[in-house]
Amino acid sequence: MVIKFFNNPEKMENLIRLLMQGVGVTSKIFFLTLIFSVPLGLAVALGRMSRRWYVNKPISFYIYIMRSTPLMLQLLFIYFLLPMVVPFKMDRFVAVIFSYVINYAAYFAEIFRGGIESIPSGQREAAHVLGMSRLQTFWRIIMPQAAKRSLLPCTNEVITLVKDTALASTVAVVDLMTMAKKQVTSSSSVEPYLVAIIFYLILNGIVEQVCKWVERKMNYYQ
Amino acid sequence: MLRAADIKKNFGDLKVLDGISLEISRGEVVALIGPSGSGKSTFLRCMNHLETVDSGEIWLEKDCMCRMTDGRVRYSSEAELRRINMRMGMVFQNFNLFPHMTVMQNLIEAPMRVKRESRAAAMERAKEMLASVGLADRGGQYPYQLSGGQAQRVAIARALCMQPEIMCFDEPTSALDPELTHEVLAVMRDLAEKNMTMVVVTHEMGFARDVADRVVFMSDGVIVEQGTPEQVFSSSNPRTMKFLQMD
């Protein structure tokens, strides 16, 4: 291996600065995906549990597609094909966010559904005999308990999301992965990859700590 | 006060309730006894709209839960049903306390959200009810920190906080050991003495004998016989005798 960066502070600093730009884009993808896919996932979960077939069947089908095809393929499909269908030009960054959101919403939906369905029916019944409405029962009784039960599987999903952001490089959005790749190509050294690995480790280290903190917050009851 | 007429319910091919009629007067304590699978719990759950009936009528005084029109059962509107539910309290075998809320939050949740009471008013009554079940100092604890007997007493207090006119109990002591059973029954005895209208599905024959004004014996989805505890416990009906001897 040819050492080109690690023995040259100036080059190293420049590399880190460039990769930090990538981290910025990666974080943007990460946060935007989370912000939209979690609420959407909850809505999808509710639709999936609907008793009306014309609601739950199409939603099951949507979840099936999202979970059964590669995210990379979904991303390419949306990036190349959707602009032919929709009347406006789709920015590549928007294409990335859009495909990540609809993909992750499907996964979150299944996690939330699992959490909601794992709440014993007695909880619903107790709320019902107290005269609580279905909406009150859901938000006050079911959801807080389901959220706690969904937390651990969600942590997994969020960690995966940090890594999945790297797929944005397929449509040339300049995230951490793309930036690292560019530097490797131009310098013919793999050092940028090593630095990128460290960045991903740091990012997911933070994610893990945040999830642990939320977990502790939710541990006020058993 | 509470009137059920010719209630029928099937689970698939199984006839769980096969024409049950029962009327409960204000202040009366009625014990529903019978073998497992006789339909007594299902009947109580129908009264609380936790199950829907296939046919029959249920009235709480002038409020209709369901009635027959053109040979089919019709339930009242959701709002009407909620109003009826609010007038009835229900205590479950498995307590069904809300685990993510403290005892106090469990007690004030429905009065505040359903009856739109102020927090102060709801808490005042909650404290009173907790004291009446002997748990005045437990308001800040979570359900997992309580024993089964304490949890069930909290569940009773929670139902009472809605100031129901009828209290229904679905095998309230079946999940408890004898010692804890005793403390829950003591609370229920107390309630009966305060003239609460009560419908109790129970396997506690001692409780039925001592506290109930009327004992209803059910088997295979029908009421076999009913009467005062003396009448039923000295019955000459072979089905009743068989059950009581087994117990």
Side-chain angles (χ1 to χ4, degrees):
Chain A
M1 187 172 126
V2 198
I3 307 278
K4 287 189 175 165
F5 294 94
F6 294 166
N7 55 6
N8 185 333
E10 209 171 299
K11 271 186 148 179
M12 190 65 190
E13 201 191 312
N14 193 43
L15 172 67
I16 288 178
R17 196 174 46 75
L18 285 171
L19 289 190
M20 280 303 283
Q21 280 175 21
V23 169
V25 175
T26 290
S27 311
K28 225 162 114 190
I29 298 173
F30 173 79
F31 283 115
L32 285 172
T33 304
L34 264 192
I35 286 167
F36 291 112
S37 64
V38 169
L40 181 63
L42 184 58
V44 171
L46 294 180
R48 173 71 180 72
M49 289 184 292
S50 165
R51 266 169 300 185
R52 290 171 235 276
W53 66 267
Y54 52 84
V55 178
N56 71 48
K57 290 274 189 256
I59 284 182
S60 298
F61 187 61
Y62 150 74
I63 292 174
Y64 169 64
I65 293 175
M66 288 299 139
R67 297 204 304 174
S68 311
T69 56
L71 176 56
M72 189 193 272
L73 187 55
Q74 292 168 18
L75 177 57
L76 289 170
F77 185 84
I78 283 164
Y79 178 62
F80 288 115
L81 279 182
L82 216 56
M84 301 179 192
V85 190
V86 296
F88 52 88
K89 192 176 172 330
M90 216 158 162
D91 176 47
R92 59 185 68 208
F93 186 76
V94 175
V96 166
I97 299 300
F98 184 78
S99 30
Y100 281 31
V101 166
I102 59 170
N103 178 278
Y104 271 80
Y107 282 97
F108 281 129
E110 286 299 274
I111 291 174
F112 295 153
R113 183 168 71 96
I116 291 167
E117 286 180 349
S118 75
I119 306 300
S121 59
Q123 292 290 306
R124 228 174 264 276
E125 293 183 351
H128 182 73
V129 296
L130 286 168
M132 294 174 77
S133 69
R134 290 172 58 159
L135 216 62
Q136 286 171 333
T137 304
F138 181 74
W139 286 113
R140 300 286 306 170
I141 309 300
I142 306 299
M143 212 39 216
Q145 298 182 55
K148 183 180 156 104
R149 294 188 187 197
S150 305
L151 195 66
L152 228 49
C154 276
T155 303
N156 271 331
E157 223 37 61
V158 174
I159 287 173
T160 307
L161 173 59
V162 171
K163 295 177 287 176
D164 274 353
T165 54
L167 286 175
S169 62
T170 17
V171 293
V173 164
V174 190
D175 70 325
L176 175 54
M177 183 68 204
T178 315
M179 200 58 106
K181 214 190 269 177
K182 275 185 176 172
Q183 294 309 306
V184 167
T185 317
S186 62
S187 68
S188 343
S189 159
V190 293
E191 286 154 283
Y193 280 155
L194 194 59
V195 179
I197 286 173
I198 290 165
F199 274 130
Y200 279 116
L201 284 173
I202 292 170
L203 288 178
N204 262 334
I206 296 169
V207 165
E208 219 171 291
Q209 287 310 311
V210 170
C211 289
K212 269 195 189 140
W213 176 78
V214 178
E215 211 179 304
R216 270 201 305 275
K217 279 262 151 193
M218 284 190 167
N219 250 348
Y220 62 92
Y221 77 91
Q222 283 166 355
Chain B
M1 164 181 207
L2 181 68
R3 189 168 66 84
D6 202 21
I7 301 295
K8 290 183 181 159
K9 175 158 187 74
N10 302 327
F11 286 133
D13 286 337
L14 185 72
K15 277 187 182 166
V16 189
L17 300 175
D18 195 10
I20 303 263
S21 296
L22 190 67
E23 206 159 329
I24 289 147
S25 333
R26 197 172 279 276
E28 199 179 14
V29 177
V30 175
L32 283 175
I33 63 169
S36 304
S38 58
K40 53 197 192 312
S41 278
T42 307
F43 177 66
L44 195 68
R45 289 168 60 80
C46 287
M47 295 291 117
N48 283 280
H49 190 232
L50 291 171
E51 308 275 355
T52 52
V53 304
D54 295 334
S55 124
E57 305 207 346
I58 299 171
W59 293 77
L60 180 61
E61 288 180 324
K62 297 219 159 29
D63 289 339
C64 171
M65 181 181 286
C66 60
R67 72 175 107 188
M68 300 299 290
T69 38
D70 307 325
R72 292 184 51 166
V73 67
R74 252 195 52 204
Y75 270 85
S76 300
S77 68
E78 187 120 347
E80 177 79 14
L81 292 174
R82 275 231 305 283
R83 240 163 42 91
I84 296 177
N85 259 338
M86 272 167 59
R87 296 176 60 189
M88 299 175 60
M90 173 79 164
V91 174
F92 300 87
Q93 182 178 341
N94 300 318
F95 331 133
N96 291 340
L97 293 177
F98 305 133
H100 59 301
M101 298 180 173
T102 62
V103 166
M104 184 51 80
Q105 287 167 337
N106 263 280
L107 265 58
I108 63 173
E109 178 69 14
M112 282 178 65
R113 308 257 158 200
V114 180
K115 282 191 161 176
R116 305 256 162 238
E117 286 179 16
S118 72
R119 173 174 289 270
M123 278 185 69
E124 193 175 334
R125 181 146 13 80
K127 280 180 186 159
E128 206 178 293
M129 293 305 166
L130 272 184
S132 78
V133 297
L135 294 170
D137 52 342
R138 301 287 174 156
Q141 292 193 305
Y142 283 92
Y144 76 88
Q145 296 169 307
L146 304 173
S147 73
Q150 290 168 339
Q152 192 60 297
R153 285 186 283 155
V154 169
I156 294 172
R158 178 175 70 179
L160 289 173
C161 277
M162 289 298 279
Q163 299 178 296
E165 295 162 49
I166 296 189
M167 282 286 281
C168 301
F169 296 83
D170 187 7
E171 302 195 20
T173 59
S174 295
L176 304 174
D177 67 38
E179 214 175 336
L180 301 178
T181 295
H182 178 76
E183 62 184 54
V184 171
L185 290 182
V187 167
M188 291 170 63
R189 237 173 258 262
D190 221 43
L191 263 182
E193 267 161 34
K194 287 176 190 154
N195 270 328
M196 173 61 82
T197 312
M198 291 163 69
V199 189
V200 186
V201 169
T202 186
H203 290 299
E204 292 292 326
M205 291 307 138
F207 178 83
R209 194 194 305 262
D210 299 344
V211 183
D213 300 311
R214 178 154 51 120
V215 175
V216 176
F217 174 63
M218 281 178 67
S219 177
D220 298 316
V222 295
I223 293 176
V224 176
E225 69 171 317
Q226 54 178 311
T228 62
E230 292 77 30
Q231 284 168 348
V232 173
F233 284 107
S234 58
S235 165
S236 54
N237 182 309
R239 184 68 192 90
T240 313
M241 282 172 75
K242 184 163 167 263
F243 173 71
L244 290 174
Q245 270 157 25
M246 266 165 39
D247 196 78

